[in-house]
Amino acid sequence: MAGSPVGAATLSEPEWGMARQAWNYFARNINRTGLANSVEGYPSATLWEQGNLAVAIVAAQELGIISPQERDQRLGQLLQGLENLPLFEDALPNKAYNTATGEKTDYGNNPVPRGIGFSGLDLGRLINALLVVKTNLPPYRERIDRLIQRWDLNRLYQRQDLYGAIVLPDGETLPVQEGRHGYLEYAARSGVILGRDMSQALNPPVATVEIYGIPVKNDTRHFRELNAVAYTVTEAPALEIIELGVSGRPAVWEEFCSLYAVQKRRWQNTGLWTAATEDHITGRLFPDTPFLYNTIVSDGIPWAVVTEAGQRFDERRTISTKAAVLLAVLQPSDDPVRYGERVLGVVQPLLNEGGYFAGQFERSQEINDILTNNTNGILLEALWAKQRGQSLITNEPFPTTCGEWVQSPDVAMAPPATEPSAPLGLDPGSRLSPGGTAPLHQFYPRCQVVQTTPQGPLSLTALPPLETGVQPSRCPTTTLTAPERSYAQAAWNYFQRFRDPQTGLVPSRSDVRATTIWGIGDTIAAWPTAERLGLISAEEFDQGIRKLLGTLRVLPTVEGLPHVAYGVGGGQPVNLGGVAELPSEWDGTGIARVLLALAQVGECHPEYQEVIEDLLLQWRYYALVHAGSLYSGQIGQRPNLECSFYSTYAIAAMNRWGFRLQEPTYQRQQVNGQSLLVGCDRVLTSDPLLYRGLELGVNPTLQNQLRAHWQAQSRPSGTVALSTAPYLVRNTLWAGSPGVVKGLDGNPYPQLASVSTGAAFAWWALGEPEAAQLRQEVIERTLGEGTEGFADGYLLDSGQSVGVATSQGNFLVLASLLYREQGALVKQFQPSERWQRRGWWLGG
């Protein structure tokens, strides 16, 4: 894919000025130890930054900024400092040092005599940098060889891979594989030059993430399972090309081309300058995130901005100075718009007397006014490489062409998907809302997203008991009459009878061993409801909810969000027919249903709120909530606006957590003399209003809507599961005409008109006087012996039970009985101040 060499290039006056300004950082931040600070004025650094310093010294002399005498004085001082470093376990340099004293420290610059371990990535960077010095300054070869030979490289290069080490709380040293695609290959190539077999490190597991039609690689070993963020950024492949060329790993040029092209394409499609890599973040604006990975892809998520711990801060995305310089220096000659030069022009003014600032915040346009070793070191190295026109260690001419990716014009985005919806024969409204008419926000690319969790057996364990011990419900409980208690017990029997002991999950319907994400919400909410109805003790609640939360914590996800459905036996993702598949789809309304169920748990048992919020902060909401709207989605397609009438429930549920969403524009339809709101799918049932009323209470507006729905019904509307095809019918208020009965296949089934058990109980609980008789009919026709719960409804023509029970129908029975006595199930829940400060719902 490479073209002919560019050859040496004379730097322009502005570029030379940038290099001189960058050297000012080092002139001000090199200590008497010979080591340089990582950040202006802060005497702490890693070995990565000392690698930057080594190359910066040589680059400054080669560019004519300092004399050969100053170069030798600075290099001699640095090498002396590295030779004097106390090593971790007398084997390898520690992860961090005080640059003023040379002491081993932790990352907070606190002295730690033993040390905190060693970093394979940082040492790989330092060794590569020393090889740059060795290649370009022969008099230093022997001294550099002696320094490297002092280190126990067998601990760094193991099993054909790159390793670091950490110190556990009990004092034990734990070797850990270190690095993900990008930085891993760059650091591992140091081992190749030193004669080590690094085949494992040079072939990490990757998947392709398609963004704006451009394939981008991302490591598939992700944060949730391995506690290490898998991020793809500009810096890693660019640095590898600049120092090590492409002949040793030809794929690196194609990787760089894809990153160059996708950042250019984002700018073309959104008007936002894009130069993405890791950076320090100014404490003046954001003291809580001193370092962020401003990624192209992170754990399969395009354009995610994450911390080392995997937290999302997409609203703090920056245009990185060093990434812009790298894009400009390696800019392919076949890019007709010369994007690298353009984005370099954006960051050229971001300087002061101490060097170049790290970048500029995309959203606020404020300067990320922190001066760092890494920004200024990379700037010097890249401009020196441009002047040379060849790699700094292997002396290879740089490739020049990338081909169609950078040549192609802007690509129009595809229209939203229009697939129908039918989760496991239990339709909570809309898996992917068809026919959405609202415009999709500009930040959504067409992207193929990799899975974010492993596909083997899950580690299914209940959460450990809380330190507070078992606590009774803070929500009021109630004493039911004997008949009502028998109905409650029958409904609770469904959850007890079908509950899987390993996962705590309950199937959405009694004839399929799988559950939708909506069904998981029903199961979660059933536990505090059952406790308040006196069906279970506080101890039983505690055991049951800990099992469910433990399972929810490890369920495989897509885009960092729960998949649309799971098998109840092992928690593995399944499709909507219950067949195992990779996680590929998320349901916005179902996730909202889970959030509201967890809010009910948090209100009644506040001792669980922190645990719940920790769990929910693992989810990646950027694809679910954006620009004030709620989205569902599927791999390979743009997220789809949730605009069915179920969104009225989902948005109310999400807003209890502080999301500040706005409902989409509904259409008005006259149905039997009543003016009703209808969603974009043109299918209307009363189910979402009934859920909303029972769980969140009835205000005057909702009361008017409920009354209009009741009066417009020629027969009770609602979704009912069947034991035979079409397996589910919607008894609608409107679906092109009043009172249509629609199956999963979209066809009419008037002979299957039916009455929903859950809807009948809900109408009775919400105060419709005429619903008492309807409720009595469903009790008589759907209760049976009650050992497996209420059946989901009965057929109007025959009066026979539909023969299948569901979590939705039986939860609505429980919720209705509690609402009748106590009112809304969720009254006073408020997310914590920590949750509200997090601000992740701003999207990206």
Side-chain angles (χ1 to χ4, degrees):
M1 198 162 181
S4 58
V6 173
T10 302
L11 297 185
S12 68
E13 187 62 30
E15 289 171 332
W16 189 86
M18 291 185 75
R20 187 173 187 84
Q21 199 68 29
W23 176 250
N24 286 350
Y25 175 87
F26 293 98
R28 293 156 56 109
N29 282 279
I30 298 174
N31 294 279
R32 61 181 178 82
T33 59
L35 307 179
N37 302 330
S38 62
V39 175
E40 167 81 5
Y42 182 58
S44 174
T46 68
L47 277 298
W48 185 285
E49 281 105 6
Q50 305 324 308
N52 291 339
L53 171 60
V55 180
I57 291 170
V58 181
Q61 189 274 314
E62 291 290 332
L63 294 172
I65 298 169
I66 62 175
S67 67
Q69 292 77 19
E70 182 176 356
R71 175 202 65 197
D72 290 339
Q73 184 268 329
R74 299 280 195 189
L75 268 180
Q77 189 183 21
L78 170 60
L79 292 173
Q80 183 69 52
L82 294 173
E83 291 161 353
N84 291 340
L85 289 179
L87 303 180
F88 176 76
E89 297 182 347
D90 295 322
L92 289 163
N94 188 50
K95 288 187 176 185
Y97 289 90
N98 184 310
T99 55
T101 66
E103 296 175 287
K104 286 181 282 188
T105 67
D106 59 19
Y107 285 128
N109 211 28
N110 302 301
V112 182
R114 180 189 173 185
I116 60 172
F118 62 88
S119 167
L121 291 179
D122 289 356
L123 285 171
R125 164 55 172 157
L126 175 60
I127 292 170
N128 280 337
L130 292 173
L131 293 173
V132 170
V133 177
K134 179 180 171 180
T135 300
N136 289 276
L137 296 173
Y140 287 90
R141 289 177 180 173
E142 290 186 10
R143 188 173 183 180
I144 288 172
D145 286 343
R146 286 197 304 271
L147 173 63
I148 294 175
Q149 290 164 7
R150 178 190 171 203
W151 300 335
D152 185 357
L153 298 182
N154 290 329
R155 296 184 65 176
L156 178 64
Y157 307 122
Q158 298 184 46
R159 304 173 187 174
Q160 299 82 47
D161 214 333
L162 190 71
Y163 273 74
I166 59 175
V167 177
L168 298 175
D170 63 4
E172 181 184 354
T173 299
L174 177 67
V176 290
Q177 187 281 326
E178 192 169 285
R180 297 294 178 263
H181 167 64
Y183 283 104
L184 174 57
E185 292 96 324
Y186 164 72
R189 287 188 69 182
S190 66
V192 173
I193 293 178
L194 296 178
R196 303 293 178 129
D197 179 359
M198 302 303 295
S199 54
Q200 185 72 26
L202 294 176
N203 292 280
V206 295
T208 296
V209 182
E210 189 174 293
I211 312 174
Y212 296 123
I214 297 167
V216 178
K217 291 180 181 178
N218 188 221
D219 203 300
T220 58
R221 297 167 293 179
H222 291 158
F223 181 81
R224 284 187 62 180
E225 64 268 22
L226 294 172
N227 201 38
V229 177
Y231 48 85
T232 299
V233 296
T234 306
E235 188 170 340
L239 203 55
E240 184 177 349
I241 294 164
I242 282 173
E243 292 178 2
L244 297 150
V246 302
S247 63
R249 195 172 76 87
V252 68
W253 178 246
E254 184 172 345
E255 290 163 8
F256 173 79
C257 284
S258 70
L259 301 189
Y260 180 99
V262 78
Q263 292 178 88
K264 171 189 170 185
R265 190 70 57 80
R266 182 174 185 260
W267 163 69
Q268 289 175 315
N269 281 20
T270 68
L272 296 167
W273 294 108
T274 304
T277 198
E278 61 179 54
D279 272 307
H280 286 83
I281 301 297
T282 174
R284 178 180 65 84
L285 295 175
F286 302 115
D288 58 328
T289 53
F291 197 90
L292 288 175
Y293 296 89
N294 179 40
T295 74
I296 296 164
V297 181
S298 174
D299 285 354
I301 311 299
W303 311 116
V305 180
V306 297
T307 66
E308 189 77 44
Q311 294 174 297
R312 291 286 295 280
F313 289 90
D314 293 359
E315 69 279 8
R316 300 180 188 182
R317 181 177 293 109
T318 61
I319 310 160
S320 171
T321 299
K322 60 179 175 174
V325 173
L326 291 168
L327 291 173
V329 166
L330 293 178
Q331 173 181 273
S333 61
D334 53 347
D335 173 15
V337 302
R338 305 182 72 80
Y339 177 70
E341 293 178 14
R342 289 174 180 245
V343 76
L344 179 62
V346 175
V347 302
Q348 275 183 331
L350 306 181
L351 73 162
N352 74 1
E353 68 279 1
Y356 263 86
F357 293 127
Q360 183 174 353
F361 291 98
E362 179 181 278
R363 179 166 294 183
S364 68
Q365 299 296 298
E366 288 199 68
I367 295 174
N368 184 19
D369 55 357
I370 187 168
L371 295 169
T372 72
N373 177 310
N374 207 29
T375 294
N376 289 283
I378 295 297
L379 194 155
L380 275 164
E381 179 174 358
L383 292 175
W384 175 35
K386 179 179 180 179
Q387 184 189 61
R388 283 170 52 97
Q390 59 185 14
S391 57
L392 303 180
I393 296 174
T394 58
N395 295 318
E396 297 176 37
F398 296 136
T400 62
T401 59
C402 282
E404 62 180 352
W405 289 340
V406 297
Q407 296 171 12
S408 58
D410 191 13
V411 177
M413 294 186 187
T418 57
E419 294 189 278
S421 144
L424 291 172
L426 264 188
D427 182 10
S430 173
R431 170 171 62 119
L432 286 177
S433 299
T437 56
L440 205 59
H441 194 275
Q442 63 178 358
F443 285 114
Y444 275 138
R446 180 176 176 84
C447 55
Q448 176 77 22
V449 183
V450 300
Q451 313 314 318
T452 62
T453 48
Q455 297 308 307
L458 304 181
S459 177
L460 293 163
T461 57
L463 292 179
L466 301 183
E467 293 182 0
T468 57
V470 175
Q471 299 290 316
S473 176
R474 298 281 186 89
C475 298
T477 57
T478 190
T479 301
L480 299 174
T481 65
E484 304 291 21
R485 182 176 176 82
S486 70
Y487 306 148
Q489 186 62 60
W492 179 241
N493 285 348
Y494 178 87
F495 294 94
Q496 295 293 72
R497 165 69 175 80
F498 293 103
R499 176 175 179 262
D500 184 87
Q502 183 183 17
T503 64
L505 298 176
V506 174
S508 291
R509 46 187 295 155
S510 56
D511 57 351
V512 179
R513 292 287 294 165
T515 177
T516 62
I517 189 66
W518 183 284
I520 290 175
D522 285 330
T523 299
I524 293 169
W527 283 90
T529 305
E531 184 188 17
R532 294 179 63 186
L533 290 170
L535 302 174
I536 58 174
S537 66
E539 290 76 13
E540 289 172 305
F541 168 84
D542 183 75
Q543 292 174 6
I545 208 68
R546 284 193 291 108
K547 173 61 74 174
L548 268 176
L549 292 176
T551 295
L552 196 60
R553 186 170 57 177
V554 299
L555 288 179
T557 58
V558 56
E559 292 232 32
L561 294 168
H563 180 59
V564 70
Y566 296 92
V568 299
Q572 290 298 334
V574 298
N575 66 18
L576 297 174
V579 179
E581 68 170 12
L582 293 176
S584 60
E585 184 175 353
W586 72 96
D587 169 23
T589 58
I591 293 170
R593 200 274 167 278
V594 170
L595 284 168
L596 190 55
L598 291 171
Q600 184 183 351
V601 174
E603 179 175 334
C604 295
H605 285 273
E607 69 273 16
Y608 272 99
Q609 184 155 342
E610 183 176 354
V611 171
I612 289 168
E613 290 183 355
D614 285 343
L615 185 156
L616 293 179
L617 284 172
Q618 295 179 21
W619 294 356
R620 309 274 173 87
Y621 297 88
Y622 92 107
L624 179 70
V625 175
H626 197 81
S629 296
L630 181 67
Y631 289 83
S632 292
Q634 190 169 9
I635 281 181
Q637 300 178 10
R638 294 166 70 211
N640 233 36
L641 178 70
E642 278 292 351
C643 52
S644 77
F645 196 59
Y646 262 86
S647 59
T648 191
Y649 165 82
I651 288 169
M654 298 288 286
N655 286 346
R656 276 300 172 103
W657 284 92
F659 283 85
R660 302 187 297 276
L661 299 181
Q662 300 297 318
E663 291 195 43
T665 301
Y666 302 120
Q667 300 176 8
R668 285 209 169 266
Q669 180 65 51
Q670 291 295 318
V671 181
N672 295 331
Q674 300 296 320
S675 178
L676 306 181
L677 298 175
V678 181
C680 62
D681 59 352
R682 305 285 292 159
V683 175
L684 180 62
T685 69
S686 299
D687 299 298
L689 292 187
L690 299 177
Y691 261 97
R692 182 172 178 176
L694 293 175
E695 294 193 287
L696 293 171
V698 179
N699 58 27
T701 299
L702 183 56
Q703 182 64 61
N704 290 336
Q705 287 181 294
L706 285 165
R707 189 62 188 163
H709 272 232
W710 179 262
Q711 292 178 345
Q713 295 178 123
S714 55
R715 56 177 174 268
S717 79
T719 302
V720 177
L722 307 174
S723 59
T724 58
Y727 301 108
L728 176 142
V729 290
R730 293 177 179 178
N731 298 273
T732 73
L733 285 156
W734 174 265
S737 59
V740 175
V741 180
K742 294 192 73 171
L744 281 179
D745 53 11
N747 294 323
Y749 289 89
Q751 75 278 15
L752 296 178
S754 45
V755 175
S756 162
T757 300
F761 266 83
W763 281 118
W764 163 78
L766 292 168
E768 283 298 337
E770 300 93 331
Q773 179 60 37
L774 182 67
R775 187 186 81 130
Q776 189 58 40
E777 290 175 4
V778 299
I779 291 171
E780 294 171 358
R781 297 175 181 180
T782 67
L783 180 55
E785 295 181 0
T787 58
E788 295 186 356
F790 284 86
D792 208 41
Y794 69 87
L795 297 172
L796 278 172
D797 283 353
S798 66
Q800 296 298 308
S801 163
V802 296
V804 61
T806 69
S807 59
Q808 176 172 314
N810 284 284
F811 167 74
L812 286 173
V813 171
L814 292 171
S816 298
L817 291 167
L818 183 58
Y819 181 93
R820 187 78 173 190
E821 299 294 324
Q822 300 286 349
L825 277 60
V826 181
K827 291 187 177 73
Q828 299 177 345
F829 173 78
Q830 293 290 330
S832 71
E833 183 180 350
R834 176 187 67 143
W835 175 275
Q836 295 178 57
R837 285 199 312 267
R838 180 63 180 83
W840 37 253
W841 52 79
L842 292 174

